[in-house]
Amino acid sequence: MSLEGYRILLADDEKALTDYLAPILNRAGFSVIVVHDGNTALRYVTEKHPDLIVLDVLMPGLDGREVCRRLRAAGDWTPIIMLTQVNTTVDKVLSLEEGADDYLCKPFDPHELVARVRAVLRRRQVLANQPPLIRASRLRSGNLILDRRTRRAYLGGQMLELTPKALALLEYLMLHPDEVLTRERLLDAVWGWDYPVATRAVDARIAEIRRALGDDPESPNFIETIVGIGYRFLAPVEPLEDGR
Amino acid sequence: MKRRWLLWTILIGFPLLAAFGAAIGLQHGMGSNPVFRLQVRADLGTWILLGNGVVTLILLLGVTGFWGAHYLRRQVLANAQREYSLSRRRFIRHLEHELKNPLAIIRAQLTYLSERAEGVSPERILSDILIQIERLSRLVAHLRQLVELEEQNIECVPVDVASLLCEVVEASQTHPNYEERQVHLLLPRAPWPLPAVNGDRDLLGLAFFNLLDNALKFTRPGDTIEIRAFENGRSVVVEVADTGPGIAEDDLPYIFEELYRGANARGYEGSGLGLALVRAIVKRHGGNVKVRSRLGQGTVFTVSLPIASWPFVTSCYKNVTHRYPADIHLKRKRCII
């Protein structure tokens, strides 16, 4: 599955940052167009249809959130990776309403951005003819159904008893199927804080989800442990249209 | 302000007027003696004068009281403002210090790199620069998390403090100083085990871990650390005590402030945000944290958290007992009472 030659729109008003990020993305095999404000970004997307947008939140003119909202409202589901700033809580960014595919907190490792771009593009390729997972209010993987609006999960029609944090973790895992997610990233995304000791908290919640799902860590159907790194949701996930 | 005066006038004026009228009425009705009646009529002006005098006196007292209260309130406000501005200035000074050091290091490293001097390899310098950048990133992230903690919703489910403390102590065993300290965990068994508190288990764990981590960091080999928990009917109280060097009295009022470092804490690694985080977490759970310390003898931190059955707190998750249906995510509210 080659991702070479994909066109990426990089929208960030910090020229000192884009001057270095663009060549790094270029070297990774993508062709990159840089814009420095929200209005130009929006115009470019509607005219040239890039394959992915890397969008900074704080920009002159329209901010990144507004660009994302307007695109989604117009039915444009171009994958978006949001570069968030201080004081943006994660659940807001990953919410159904916001509609970004992924987020990355500044300051980030440029290689992490490349990895995320690849992961988002790959995810979209797998679901080529389906609406993106981030848009779905319900996700299905085998007989597991997660309803993002009512915050409930069902296994074979039976409602699962999960703590809110465990449910949010399951949601994040299901939104990033087949991706190796480090404990640190899960902490950052679901808990909103990342302290070395807290990686145990991730393990505890994964254990809770596994208990609820009856998933054996030795031969898992849903969540695989990647020793020394983190976890991966290995079962395929599909969006479930309302009313089905 | 006008409304307040109207209230005063009505409150004092009307009863006075009524009393005045009653006095005259009483005198009138008193009798058949025409001389006496005449006397009363003649004294009506005096009565009015007297009444006015009393009203003026009471109004004067009211005004003085009002201004006194106003003055006191202003004093208290000014003090709070002064304290706030002082702590803000302290914070900025400390932040400057925390930022200055890594920036100075990066600058020196870059100069060294640009001079292409023999000695340390460029790869080594680049990786050293990265270490400093990570140090700065961590500081920014932790500051952000501290702010978010005050704003975002936190989980509100019953937490078993005893098992949580066991886990925290277990996690601290990887601390490099653990082997050289006597760490004891004391949990009550009689007359009953510790009751549950409401809140976010992971955050509470982080708070206790920070306290224990501090104790391990600032004590010397051979020192004793005790983690004690008990309940007093209203709260679960957790104490983290050590026989370490203690905290200077001058530092004690400030140690929970962001980035503050006491005289005894300088030269140790850390973000300077650990105790601020502890305070923020405990506050979000409707509890409080206190410290007592004696130089050369040791320190004890005391965390009190409201017991789950305490009526004010249970109201934040009314429909949930010890089972957590998935939909409490929608109902969760701030734990603060």
Side-chain angles (χ1 to χ4, degrees), chain A residues 84-89 91 105-107 149-153 159-168 188 191-195 197-198 200-201 205 208, chain B residues 133 137 140-142 144-149 151-152 155-157 167 170-171 200-203 206 209-210 273 277 323-330 332:
Chain A
T84 57
Q85 302 271 4
V86 168
N87 272 344
T88 49
T89 44
D91 41 59
C105 223
K106 279 183 176 177
R149 269 193 218 290
T150 58
R151 314 299 306 167
R152 285 170 207 264
M159 195 177 100
L160 299 175
E161 280 190 0
L162 290 171
T163 53
K165 196 81 71 41
L167 196 88
D188 196 37
W191 278 257
W193 40 268
D194 167 14
Y195 291 92
V197 58
R200 298 169 139 259
R205 300 291 170 148
E208 182 191 336
Chain B
I133 288 175
S137 307
V140 174
H142 288 181
R144 182 198 65 176
Q145 284 151 11
L146 210 56
V147 175
E148 271 183 16
L149 190 63
E151 292 171 351
Q152 74 188 19
E155 204 170 66
C156 199
V157 294
E167 272 175 40
E170 203 187 308
D200 187 311
R201 194 173 200 276
D202 302 332
L203 282 177
L206 189 61
F209 183 84
N210 271 351
L273 291 168
L277 191 74
R323 294 157 74 83
Y324 343 108
D327 60 351
I328 58 172
H329 191 75
L330 295 174
R332 66 186 178 175

